[in-house]
Amino acid sequence: MSQQESSITVELPDGSTLDVPSGATVEDVAYEIGPGLGSDTVAGKLDGELVAKEEPVYDGARVEIVTPSADEYLQVMRHSAAHVLAQAILREYPDAKLATGPPTEEGFYYDFDDVDVDEGDFDDLVAEMEAIVDDDLDIEREEVPLDEARDRVAGDPYKEEILEDLAAGDRGADDDIETVSFYGQGDFSDLCAGPHVASTGEIGAVDLREIAATNWRGDEDEPRLTRVYGTAFGSESDLEDYWERKEEAERRDHRRIGREMNLFSIPEHSPGCVHFHPDGMAIRRELEDYIRAKNDELGYEEVWTPELNKVDLWKTSGHYEHFCEEDEMFHWDQASARTEGDDADEYGLKPMNCANHVHLYQRERRSYRELPKRYCEFGTCYRNERSGELSGMLRVRGFTQDDGHAFVTRDQIQGEVTRTLEVIDEVLADFGLDVTFKLETQPDDSFGDDALWERAESDLRSSLDALGEGYEVEAGEGAFYGPKIAADAEDAIGREWTVGTVQLDFVQPDRFDLVYVGEDNEEHTPVMIHRALLGTFERFMAVMIEHFAGRFPLWLAPEQVRVLPLNEEVLGYAHRLRNDFEESGFRATVADGDDTLQRKIRAAHDENVPYMLIVGPDEEEAGTVSVRDRAEREARDVDPDAFREHLRAEREEKRLEPDFLDD
């Protein structure tokens, strides 16, 4: 065998290449780079996928080495902590059956069958886990032939099924495997691909969070399992910080605040579909008006398209195949006495707005002089999310996007995308959110030629470079029809939320045969840009509720001013003031009940009203008000007209906090 045939070439993070022997592992690559890196290697990433250090590399792979200083190290440690939990469960409940136990963004979980455990057992389980960590057990990987592996997992139905899936090449596994890996630590061993840390002693601190019911493989027809959630950190102080953040997140939970402020509800008769109450609708209308103004700046024309379509539209666009494969699309055969002939067909609720906007574009013959052609819509879409995955307004079945689609020539891509990113940056800054842009590249289920994807990704990189703010790359996370840029916003307590997106699409214009007549009088295919400035109103409102903890800026607050009369004698004055503020476009009310003034103040404070105007006989006689804000600052003898002028400026400038009483 020649030298060329016995070696392969891998790509390193800096773009350089390295020749290594065929069959080399991630760890071997690290040692080729340097012995120090080799000895520090915990795991690796192949084309962005986290793998064990023992994983063989392949020709052309992008290889990253994971060491204890890498961001991914915590994920590896949490995977090992999941095994520690499984080991502790088996010690306490020897008849338990193990399913799966991956790391998560906040920690890890493990699913069990035949175990009767509740949160009252957590103290004992955590104590057992801490003992396993203190024992500093070596975590060792073992490659086991398939037949021997079958003997090892005999009697564990879930491990047996996983093993047979691996052997059959199902669920993304290779179909020619001869061995599988087990990881052992002391008296515990688990069928697992890894990666893991070298010993249980590397797990700094562990705790358990909650218990939930789930189904095997996420399928409601499969057995019911017990899921135990936990978390792990490198130190006790990091764990304590986590619980403090967790408590703060619970205090800000949009579901609780939404109930307390009477903003929205999701009743049992509409699972996953939000009912906006009057105060919640006031916030939503502000957001709609705000985005309409931004759309006007960007040159979009507002349209409306129906939620109900024959599925032929979605078959052409590719959404039918994509969403129906996972049963995520609401669709049905429509045949009855009312539907005959062509109407007796399959219908569906739209999962996206883009195909309807394609219809608007293709109704007329287009010239290059008309491009960019831009449509925007507050379009309501539906996805058949699993009931167990629904979460308040963050994960819903019915949602309304601030959607937009621009049809452009290739030469217009960079300018169009760059300007859109600039506006997204401006929008999120108005809400006090810092943004990180992420380029999400071609996924495994993509449509279209690889060459088109490379062109699309190159164009998006150029736009991000032109913006000059830097960006991260999320390999394989693009939409099935094109790569995208996600705007991840960091909220008041450091959590990241994906809100705005810009997606480049060469696929759908081709599938729908979209054309424009170029300057050369020839037909050309336009490029389609999908964009959302906020994402969906439901999700963005949930993020805003939690970001502000219900203490909205004046311009968003459902109630902006509440007038508090000292007694019945000044009710007329209080209502005249309220009317004056309403005529100026503010949302104002009068607290005209029988409560004491102190109770009225406390109620307004608890309900997050930005400003209170306290009026009594002295204020009525002088034609003034006492102004109090929700930060409990107060000023007397204030001219109502001067206060209104301040509110106009505070509203127009979208200031984040009431500042009339700033020192």
Side-chain angles (χ1 to χ4, degrees), residues 414 417-418 421 436-440 457-473 484-486:
Q414 182 175 328
V417 171
T418 302
L421 295 178
T436 299
F437 290 111
K438 296 183 178 180
L439 175 61
E440 300 182 1
E457 290 174 10
S458 176
D459 285 328
L460 291 186
R461 288 179 188 273
S462 297
S463 293
L464 286 164
D465 290 339
L467 194 64
E469 294 192 5
Y471 60 93
E472 300 174 9
V473 177
K484 67 179 178 179
I485 297 170

Side-chain angles (χ1 to χ4, degrees), residues 59-128:
D59 192 46
R62 297 192 312 274
V63 181
E64 300 174 60
I65 306 301
V66 175
T67 67
S69 62
D71 292 340
E72 294 83 3
Y73 179 75
L74 184 59
Q75 183 178 348
V76 177
M77 186 182 71
R78 286 172 169 171
H79 193 176
S80 300
H83 279 211
V84 170
L85 168 61
Q87 187 175 11
I89 284 281
L90 288 178
R91 288 182 178 182
E92 297 290 323
Y93 307 91
D95 295 331
K97 298 292 188 295
L98 306 185
T100 56
T104 66
E105 186 174 340
E106 288 197 3
F108 59 87
Y109 68 79
Y110 213 112
D111 291 342
F112 305 96
D113 201 356
D114 291 341
V115 61
D116 184 15
V117 61
D118 59 37
E119 294 180 8
D121 300 311
F122 277 4
D123 288 346
D124 291 340
L125 282 172
V126 170
E128 189 64 48

Side-chain angles (χ1 to χ4, degrees), residues 233-451:
F233 288 90
S235 67
E236 287 290 344
S237 61
D238 287 344
L239 180 60
E240 291 173 3
D241 290 344
Y242 164 79
W243 282 119
E244 288 178 5
R245 293 194 303 272
K246 191 74 174 172
E247 290 173 4
E248 179 64 16
E250 290 174 358
R251 186 181 73 82
R252 293 170 176 263
D253 190 305
H254 74 281
R255 292 163 295 190
R256 179 184 62 80
I257 294 174
R259 287 192 302 271
E260 293 174 353
M261 295 184 67
N262 196 22
L263 301 178
F264 72 92
S265 59
I266 306 176
E268 291 185 4
H269 65 259
S270 298
C273 297
V274 180
H275 289 53
F276 288 89
H277 301 183
D279 282 350
M281 195 61 199
I283 299 172
R284 177 166 168 160
R285 287 183 62 184
E286 287 286 354
L287 293 175
E288 289 177 353
D289 291 344
Y290 175 75
I291 293 301
R292 277 196 174 95
K294 294 297 182 183
N295 284 335
D296 289 345
E297 289 179 24
L298 287 167
Y300 279 81
E301 299 175 281
E302 186 168 351
V303 299
W304 182 88
T305 62
E307 289 99 45
L308 182 65
N309 297 271
K310 290 185 177 181
V311 299
D312 291 349
L313 180 71
W314 309 113
K315 288 179 179 179
T316 303
S317 71
H319 290 89
Y320 186 87
E321 176 183 344
H322 179 77
F323 286 107
C324 289
E325 182 177 339
E326 299 296 330
D327 195 27
E328 291 181 354
M329 185 172 175
F330 290 102
H331 60 103
W332 62 91
D333 289 326
Q334 183 69 37
S336 70
R338 293 177 178 270
T339 57
E340 298 177 359
D342 291 340
D343 288 334
D345 212 335
E346 189 178 4
Y347 284 76
L349 297 177
K350 64 180 178 182
M352 299 288 283
N353 300 296
C354 45
N356 294 79
H357 291 189
V358 166
H359 161 73
L360 297 177
Y361 176 89
Q362 66 185 170
R363 288 187 68 252
E364 301 176 25
R365 185 172 173 83
R366 304 291 179 180
S367 163
Y368 72 95
R369 294 186 178 88
E370 297 178 68
L371 305 187
K373 187 67 177 177
R374 308 178 183 95
Y375 298 117
C376 64
E377 176 179 10
F378 297 149
T380 300
C381 302
Y382 296 88
R383 306 267 180 88
N384 188 23
E385 302 286 357
R386 295 183 185 276
S387 58
E389 296 176 349
L390 300 176
S391 178
M393 290 202 294
L394 290 170
R395 192 71 176 265
V396 293
R397 287 179 174 147
F399 54 90
T400 303
Q401 294 176 304
D402 72 312
D403 213 353
H405 297 92
F407 300 87
V408 302
T409 69
R410 275 197 52 79
D411 292 341
Q412 294 168 333
I413 290 173
Q414 182 175 328
E416 187 74 15
V417 171
T418 302
R419 178 59 184 139
T420 303
L421 295 178
E422 290 172 346
V423 170
I424 290 175
D425 208 8
E426 295 168 5
V427 166
L428 298 183
D430 279 343
F431 294 95
L433 297 166
D434 294 327
V435 62
T436 299
F437 290 111
K438 296 183 178 180
L439 175 61
E440 300 182 1
T441 60
Q442 184 175 8
D444 293 337
D445 63 349
S446 62
F447 288 14
D449 294 336
D450 289 344

Side-chain angles (χ1 to χ4, degrees), residues 31 425 445 493 552 607 653:
Y31 273 108
D425 208 8
D445 63 349
I493 58 175
F552 297 104
E607 293 163 19
E653 295 173 17

Side-chain angles (χ1 to χ4, degrees), residues 561-566 570 572-578 580-581 589-590 611-629 633-647 660-661:
V561 178
R562 184 176 297 180
V563 185
L564 311 182
L566 184 63
V570 293
Y573 181 50
H575 281 278
R576 289 195 299 275
L577 286 168
R578 189 274 311 278
D580 289 343
F581 279 94
T589 63
V590 174
Y611 288 107
M612 293 156 264
L613 303 184
I614 301 170
V615 295
D618 292 342
E619 284 79 13
E620 181 175 21
E621 183 177 352
T624 62
V625 295
S626 290
V627 177
R628 184 182 178 94
D629 65 18
R633 299 173 295 185
E634 189 170 356
R636 299 179 181 275
D637 302 322
V638 174
D639 177 14
D641 293 335
F643 178 61
R644 261 197 312 278
E645 286 305 310
H646 174 89
L647 291 195
F660 180 76
L661 298 172

Side-chain angles (χ1 to χ4, degrees), residues 548 550-554 560 564 601-614 627-635 643 650 656-663:
F548 292 117
R551 296 165 65 88
F552 297 104
L554 177 79
Q560 297 166 319
L564 311 182
I601 291 173
R602 177 51 52 193
H605 181 273
D606 290 346
E607 293 163 19
N608 297 316
V609 180
Y611 288 107
M612 293 156 264
L613 303 184
I614 301 170
V627 177
R628 184 182 178 94
D629 65 18
R630 63 185 176 211
E632 301 184 358
R633 299 173 295 185
E634 189 170 356
F643 178 61
E650 188 176 318
L656 295 175
E657 290 288 346
D659 60 3
F660 180 76
L661 298 172
D662 280 356
D663 294 332

